[in-house]
Amino acid sequence: MSTTTPVPTRKPPTAQDEAPVFSVSGLWKVFGPKPERVPADPELGALDAAELRARTGCTAAVRDVSFDVRKGEVFVVMGLSGSGKSTLVRCLTRLIEPTAGTIAIDGEDVRAMDRTRLRELRRHRAAMVFQHFGLLPHRTVLDNVAYGLEIQGVGKAERRERAAEIVAKVGLEGMEHRRPGQLSGGQRQRVGLARALAVDPEVLLFDEPFSALDPLIRRDMQDEVARLHEEEGRTMVFITHDLSEALKLGDRIALMRDGQVVQLGTPEEIVGSPADDYVREFVRDVPREQVLTARTAMRPASLGESAEGPALTPDATVSEAIEAVARTGSPARVMDHGKCLGVVDHEQLLGVVAGVPVAPAAGPRATPEAV
Amino acid sequence: MATLTVPALRTRTPAVLRNRAVGKLLLLALITAVLLPLLHGRTWPHHLTVSLTQPLTSASNWIIDNRDTHPLFLYFFGYISNAVVLAVRAVYVALLALGWPGVTALGALVAWRVAGPRLAAGTAVAFLACGALGMWEPTMQTLALMVAAVLASVLVGTALGLAGGLSPRLDRALRPVLDTMQVLPAFAYLLPVVLVFGIGVPAAVLATVVYAAPPMARLTALGLRGADPEVLEAVESLGATRRQRLLTARIPLARKELLLGLNQTIMMALSMAVIASVIGAGGLGDRVYQALSTVDVGQALAAGIPIVLLAVVLDRVTGAAGADGAKGPRTIGWPYALAVTAAAALAARLLGVLDWPNGWSVQIAAPVNRAVDWMTGHLYSGVPVIGGTADWAAHFTTWVLDPIRDGLQWLPWWSLLLIVAALAWVIGTWRTALTAVLAMAAIGVLGVWEPSLDTLSQVLAAVAVTLVLGFATGIAAARSDRVERALRPVLDVFQTMPQFVYLIPVVALFGVGRAPAVAAAVVYALPAVIRITTQGLRQVDPAALESARSLGATGRQQLWQVQLPLARRALLLAVNQGVVLVLAVVIIGGLVGGGSLGYNVAFGLAQGDLATGLVAGAAIVCLGLMLDRVTQPTERRPGKGA
Ligand SMILES: Nc1ncnc2c1ncn2[C@@H]1O[C@H](COP(=O)(O)OP(=O)(O)OP(=O)(O)O)[C@@H](O)[C@H]1O
Ligand SMILES: [Mg+2]
């Protein structure tokens, strides 16, 4: 709980002084003939997708992307279909070989790893959950979950025992001996999740894990992931094209378009101050009062205001603030550890709901991109 | 020839396509017009032939002379040959040691284990029937040869398939070869192996391996390539090594294709093991061959029935192993099965009934021959109004086969090349057209233009009959579930029978000659054509049919305007399959008086005149290649658009 954090977050802020788990900078992935020339040549790199394709026959799926994934956070990468999300996440463990840029995991250069090191990375440090599950149809649930351990050479009895624990943890008790074909989509993805968890990885990578599921099951699974994250605090990189999913799960969100990250920030920043029209259009239908917090909406308290009125935490959502203000009829105070940070009244709250750009609250609020 | 184009013309090709076809034809016409002054004569010009008899004879003589001395034979082919003989002998001795009770028990228990009790009973009955027909020993000979050949085919096929499945480059190199091997008649494989190994068991086994390994290779590669990429990616994301990925993911994921490959390999091996009787395979095929050469239908049938039983049992059991239902409760374990087998064999040994007891055999040859004699007397000719079967055969020969053959031989050779080019180009691509023309020209160069046209005439007649019957039946089956249900078991059995046994009933019915060969070919090719037609018509997009129906189309309109045009690909495939299958049997028909190329091969083998046989074999390959390419629909049309 560092008080120095300038970025407001809904959840307990993660320590930023700790080294990031993944550190990506200047990452490119270009598909096509002689892909290296595209990142190397600034002129080519500046072309848009259609021009690049016409000029070189290449597709730049990821262009010059940089970000850090901090320990313990859920880092969401969001974007429309074809924006390069899957490619990006596969580059992290080199399931797809990046064209240019650097990737480091815990400070270790991933691109410099030899085959053995890389295998070690995939076996122990980063495990992935796939959109269409990627389960082995000829194995039982238990053996699918134990598969990662089998690859590592763990003995049969031990791996089965560990797999059974994980199966119970994801709520699949009693189905250990079924085959994937006998499970529903949601259950299959639980198996996929369990398989990734079984190897006890440092980071979990999710590639649109729930988009093949129907809405109710999807919500269940999101809750499941949120619960796991709360219990274990495991670092997660989560790919999705669903904005509400991103807002629900993400500590920070990178919004991608045509291979580039157009904005990177907390859900609140993305919704509250979109970086450009594209992002604005993207978040237009989001119920802003449920994402933005009192901390963003507040204005400095004038004399006397800091003493009375209902109290809110800085992380209370605007809709909670509206409720408090409507009930009492007076401005509400935003209190943090007994200190009054500011107040919210009708004007601010209505401004948030109406989408009038919010004036920056107290304190600097820089997007990490701009840092 | 006209029959081949029917499906292509009937379809309502879009205007652009039709124009393209017209353009191709015009171009061909132009080329011919330019070349016309150079082309003359009817039959293939003599100065364009290359006589291979001399070099082939000397090569074959050299091989015969050096077979026992040259290091190549001593240290390479000799070892192969010895290994094959040893393997077949070992299996045969093992089968004899088990005795008929042991073999029957083993067969039934294996069937039980992989396919359930019903097929187990069927297997036992089939084995007992083989014994009861007095054919136990030849059945075991055929089985021993097959076991050795199937094992080798599976090894070779899987190795090639793994190579093709794992390396795209090898796949690109292998696939056309395997595809082509698949369309060649079995007879074409006989002579080259005989040339190297001489007539005998090694040659028979190796010919069988060459014939039966391609399906295993193709399906293995197909299965490995068809694996769900996301599963493979998931496996890789967990840090699997290449070996782990292959053993724990790719091969298990390809299980279905592997088992289907095994099934096809076994069926092809049986088919070839029987045909290879003409190069010394022995066993059941030899009995049929000997009986047919003396027109002893009774004996041929007594040996043919075990072949059919073996085929059906092997197909059902291996097919059931590949089906998904095989995951039901296992009734018996392997140790139990082996123990019972051993007990049965031991008991038989103690009781002294290892060999099938003589008294238990039923002699069906004599009664069958009496029946055939009666038929010859009463049905062959002179039956009032409808005539007799021999009359039909004679009429078919005079009114259909002779005119087609004479017509083909009357056509100038270059016009035949032109027709081949036009057909192949309109249906396929310029590549297929080029291959077809070159193959056809090669026949001329080999100097067997006339006999090849004779064979071709039989093929065309048989294909015409097959397509008329096949399309009619296929359409009926596609439009009525009842017809389809009634047909299915018949087709299932007919599709599993080896080519060779089709000769037995036609000889009984029509005697020997070209017409019986054509009849056997029709019966052999019909099931596949019916099946493909039915499936093609049934798979027509229901939405298209629905919309036609909503516009008030009658059943006939739906068929002609929607179903048939939309099923164009399937119909072309049916034509292609029909042609390939017909050719295979027309060639074998050389053994029952079909003459021409098939006869040349058989003659070459029988007389030790390998040169004649080899040239005929090469012509068969060319004919098969030409016929396949002429009827091969364009595979994909990527390239410019995509
Ligand atoms: N193997 C490949 N070869 C060529 N182009 C590719 C390849 N893989 C991806 N692309 C291209 O890269 C771009 C990004 O693809 P990617 O799969 O990363 O998108 P995505 O954001 O995951 O989309 P979706 O939401 O549909 O999964 C697309 O334009 C795609 O066509
Ligand atoms: Mg994707």
Side-chain angles (χ1 to χ4, degrees):
Chain A
M1 287 272 175
S2 102
T3 47
T4 56
T5 170
V7 181
T9 50
R10 291 171 308 161
K11 300 184 185 170
T14 40
Q16 283 180 29
D17 30 346
E18 246 182 274
V21 178
F22 270 117
S23 175
V24 174
S25 79
L27 186 72
W28 283 81
K29 175 64 202 181
V30 180
F31 290 108
K34 285 195 256 156
E36 326 71 45
R37 64 202 153 132
V38 178
D41 181 350
E43 193 209 338
L44 285 179
L47 297 175
D48 74 16
E51 284 177 66
L52 183 66
R53 171 141 226 176
R55 281 268 296 275
T56 63
C58 292
T59 315
V62 174
R63 312 167 156 247
D64 197 14
V65 166
S66 307
F67 60 83
D68 285 350
V69 177
R70 298 173 199 154
K71 199 164 179 58
E73 78 172 336
V74 178
F75 185 88
V76 171
V77 179
M78 186 183 60
L80 296 179
S81 186
S83 54
K85 312 178 295 292
S86 298
T87 311
L88 176 62
V89 75
R90 280 166 176 71
C91 283
L92 295 181
T93 55
R94 280 174 55 196
L95 287 174
I96 290 179
E97 204 58 55
T99 312
T102 59
I103 305 167
I105 180 166
D106 298 324
E108 188 182 348
D109 188 353
V110 175
R111 292 196 65 198
M113 287 182 178
D114 62 8
R115 208 184 270 182
T116 331
R117 286 295 295 159
L118 192 60
R119 211 176 287 139
E120 214 51 25
L121 162 73
R122 291 177 185 163
R123 285 184 178 183
H124 298 288
R125 294 161 80 177
M128 192 153 163
V129 180
F130 293 85
Q131 179 172 8
H132 300 290
F133 326 127
L135 303 178
L136 293 164
H138 58 284
R139 292 176 166 236
T140 61
V141 166
L142 197 64
D143 284 336
N144 260 295
V145 173
Y147 185 68
L149 299 169
E150 181 182 335
I151 292 290
Q152 296 173 13
V154 177
K156 191 160 190 173
E158 190 190 341
R159 68 177 187 246
R160 287 215 158 155
E161 188 183 325
R162 270 164 64 187
E165 272 167 41
I166 307 283
V167 166
K169 191 187 253 178
V170 299
L172 285 176
E173 299 103 324
M175 308 198 182
E176 289 88 348
H177 300 293
R178 296 211 196 162
R179 284 171 204 273
Q182 301 164 316
L183 299 178
S184 72
Q187 290 166 337
R188 283 186 216 177
Q189 195 55 293
R190 283 174 197 265
V191 179
L193 183 58
R195 179 177 63 185
L197 284 172
V199 298
D200 192 23
E202 193 180 336
V203 197
L204 275 177
L205 308 174
F206 294 86
D207 184 16
E208 300 202 30
F210 309 141
S211 50
L213 307 179
D214 51 34
L216 281 181
I217 312 276
R218 193 181 311 169
R219 178 145 19 105
D220 273 0
M221 293 298 294
Q222 288 163 358
D223 293 341
E224 183 84 32
V225 168
R227 181 177 68 83
L228 276 172
H229 185 242
E230 229 153 78
E231 283 174 8
E232 305 186 327
R234 212 185 288 274
T235 314
M236 298 181 176
V237 176
F238 197 103
I239 309 292
T240 178
H241 64 244
D242 178 355
L243 182 62
S244 65
E245 187 168 87
L247 295 174
K248 178 171 177 179
L249 294 173
D251 290 320
R252 289 191 305 144
I253 298 174
L255 217 149
M256 285 187 79
R257 178 195 188 183
D258 294 340
Q260 271 164 320
V261 172
V262 287
Q263 188 170 6
L264 193 161
T266 61
E268 208 181 346
E269 286 165 339
I270 301 252
V271 175
S273 38
D276 61 12
D277 286 348
Y278 177 76
V279 183
R280 191 165 300 122
E281 193 58 23
F282 216 96
V283 300
R284 203 179 57 179
D285 294 329
V286 174
R288 298 158 54 82
E289 69 279 6
Q290 288 175 19
V291 177
L292 300 190
T293 59
R295 191 199 294 268
T296 319
M298 71 192 180
R299 60 170 169 78
S302 55
L303 262 181
E305 274 179 331
S306 54
E308 59 196 52
L312 294 166
T313 63
D315 294 332
T317 62
V318 166
S319 76
E320 287 163 344
I322 291 176
E323 199 198 329
V325 171
R327 215 177 31 232
T328 59
S330 62
R333 292 170 302 154
V334 181
M335 304 290 288
D336 187 21
H337 293 93
K339 202 171 127 238
C340 178
L341 301 179
V343 294
V344 284
D345 60 14
H346 294 82
E347 214 175 303
Q348 271 81 35
L349 295 175
L350 283 174
V352 168
V353 176
V356 178
V358 205
R365 184 155 42 94
T367 57
E369 255 188 334
V371 172
Chain B
M1 262 299 170
T3 50
L4 286 180
T5 62
V6 167
L9 294 181
R10 253 184 220 157
T11 55
R12 330 198 100 213
T13 35
V16 194
L17 246 180
R18 208 176 307 161
N19 284 345
R20 193 184 289 171
V22 170
K24 288 174 183 175
L25 292 182
L26 282 177
L27 188 60
L28 279 178
L30 192 70
I31 295 174
T32 324
V34 172
L35 292 180
L36 202 52
L38 298 174
L39 312 168
H40 33 70
R42 218 162 257 166
T43 184
W44 186 269
H46 189 71
H47 61 270
L48 287 184
T49 61
V50 177
S51 171
L52 292 179
T53 316
Q54 197 52 43
L56 280 178
T57 310
S58 57
S60 118
N61 286 341
W62 182 85
I63 290 176
I64 291 168
D65 292 343
N66 289 280
R67 209 174 261 151
D68 301 326
T69 50
H70 196 275
L72 181 66
F73 290 94
L74 281 182
Y75 297 109
F76 183 64
F77 293 129
Y79 279 132
I80 295 184
S81 173
N82 289 342
V84 168
V85 171
L86 221 69
V88 174
R89 168 86 7 118
V91 179
Y92 186 58
V93 167
L95 288 175
L96 287 190
L98 282 177
W100 64 269
V103 172
T104 307
L106 182 63
L109 290 170
V110 169
W112 196 332
R113 165 81 198 185
V114 302
R118 269 190 47 193
L119 278 173
T123 308
V125 169
F127 272 118
L128 295 179
C130 294
L133 286 166
M135 288 291 158
W136 187 261
E137 213 169 291
T139 305
M140 290 307 110
Q141 284 169 359
T142 298
L143 216 52
L145 192 142
M146 268 192 61
V147 169
V150 166
L151 282 181
S153 304
V154 167
L155 282 181
V156 173
T158 316
L160 288 176
L162 277 176
L166 298 180
S167 144
R169 181 141 19 115
L170 275 176
D171 189 52
R172 246 170 297 150
L174 274 176
R175 197 183 311 198
V177 179
L178 295 177
D179 283 352
T180 305
M181 286 178 78
Q182 201 101 346
V183 305
L184 297 184
F187 247 46
Y189 293 106
L190 298 181
L191 273 150
V193 285
V194 170
L195 185 64
V196 176
F197 292 97
I199 284 183
V201 168
V205 170
L206 289 169
T208 308
V209 171
V210 174
Y211 186 65
M216 191 74 211
R218 291 180 83 197
L219 282 157
T220 306
L222 191 74
L224 289 178
R225 291 195 161 261
D228 181 349
E230 204 179 33
V231 175
L232 294 184
E233 196 170 38
V235 170
E236 186 161 4
S237 82
L238 288 165
T241 59
R242 223 176 258 221
R243 223 174 77 97
Q244 285 173 326
R245 193 166 35 160
L246 182 67
L247 293 180
T248 61
R250 296 193 85 150
I251 289 181
L253 286 175
R255 174 173 185 271
K256 217 176 170 151
E257 282 83 1
L258 290 176
L259 286 171
L260 184 63
L262 179 66
N263 170 284
Q264 289 201 3
T265 292
I266 289 179
M267 298 320 290
M268 307 259 301
L270 177 60
S271 186
M272 191 60 164
V274 174
I275 292 174
S277 57
V278 296
I279 57 169
L284 292 170
D286 194 47
R287 300 294 176 100
V288 176
Y289 181 46
Q290 301 297 346
L292 279 182
S293 61
T294 55
V295 201
D296 180 353
V297 176
Q299 270 302 332
L301 200 65
I305 291 174
I307 296 177
V308 173
L309 290 176
L310 266 188
V312 172
V313 161
L314 285 170
D315 182 53
R316 293 301 175 279
V317 172
T318 52
D324 283 334
K327 293 192 187 84
R330 300 287 198 200
T331 33
I332 52 167
W334 288 120
Y336 177 75
L338 291 180
V340 172
T341 305
L346 211 64
R349 182 165 294 256
L350 292 178
L351 294 174
V353 287
L354 273 182
D355 298 326
W356 186 271
N358 267 337
W360 295 11
S361 298
V362 186
Q363 296 301 330
I364 66 159
V368 167
N369 276 337
R370 267 199 301 283
V372 171
D373 286 343
W374 181 87
M375 260 173 42
T376 320
H378 295 80
L379 295 182
Y380 262 35
S381 67
V383 181
V385 187
I386 54 168
T389 51
D391 293 347
W392 296 347
H395 287 151
F396 189 76
T397 310
T398 341
W399 296 112
V400 179
L401 288 177
D402 284 349
I404 296 182
R405 180 181 63 184
D406 296 345
L408 285 176
Q409 291 177 349
W410 171 83
L411 277 177
W413 58 274
W414 49 267
S415 69
L416 267 178
L417 289 186
L418 194 66
I419 293 172
V420 165
L423 272 177
W425 203 9
V426 168
I427 296 177
T429 61
W430 65 269
R431 268 171 217 271
T432 55
L434 193 64
T435 320
V437 170
L438 287 180
M440 193 69 196
I443 292 174
V445 172
L446 285 171
V448 281
W449 186 253
E450 300 276 328
S452 299
L453 289 189
D454 187 2
T455 300
L456 185 61
S457 72
Q458 295 174 38
V459 170
L460 292 182
V463 166
V465 177
T466 308
L467 291 185
V468 170
L469 294 179
F471 283 160
T473 320
I475 290 172
R479 291 166 70 81
S480 146
D481 285 331
R482 197 174 323 148
V483 175
E484 204 208 355
R485 239 173 299 132
L487 272 177
R488 190 175 302 159
V490 182
L491 296 185
D492 278 345
V493 171
F494 272 65
Q495 272 196 311
T496 53
M497 288 208 284
Q499 305 155 2
F500 209 54
V501 295
Y502 285 89
L503 298 179
I504 303 169
V506 296
V507 167
L509 270 178
F510 303 114
V512 296
R514 278 184 290 153
V518 168
V522 170
V523 181
Y524 181 65
L526 207 47
V529 172
I530 294 176
R531 190 151 263 178
I532 299 172
T533 310
T534 311
Q535 273 170 7
L537 288 178
R538 281 187 175 245
Q539 274 163 9
V540 165
D541 183 8
L545 264 186
E546 190 110 279
S547 70
R549 217 172 296 137
S550 76
L551 291 171
T554 61
R556 178 181 290 265
Q557 281 171 328
Q558 282 173 38
L559 176 68
W560 286 103
Q561 296 174 358
V562 182
Q563 283 182 301
L564 287 180
L566 287 183
R568 175 175 185 265
R569 273 194 67 84
L571 297 185
L572 278 176
L573 181 66
V575 174
N576 182 264
Q577 282 292 299
V579 168
V580 167
L581 297 176
V582 159
L583 177 68
V585 174
V586 162
I587 298 288
I588 296 178
L591 296 178
V592 293
S596 58
L597 294 180
Y599 175 75
N600 285 0
V601 172
F603 174 84
L605 285 169
Q607 304 295 318
D609 179 2
L610 292 190
T612 309
L614 276 171
V615 168
I620 292 172
V621 169
C622 292
L623 206 57
L625 212 58
M626 186 276 282
L627 285 169
D628 176 59
R629 295 300 135 89
V630 162
T631 52
Q632 199 164 65
T634 324
E635 301 218 316
R636 286 154 265 129
R637 230 183 268 263
K640 296 153 218 160

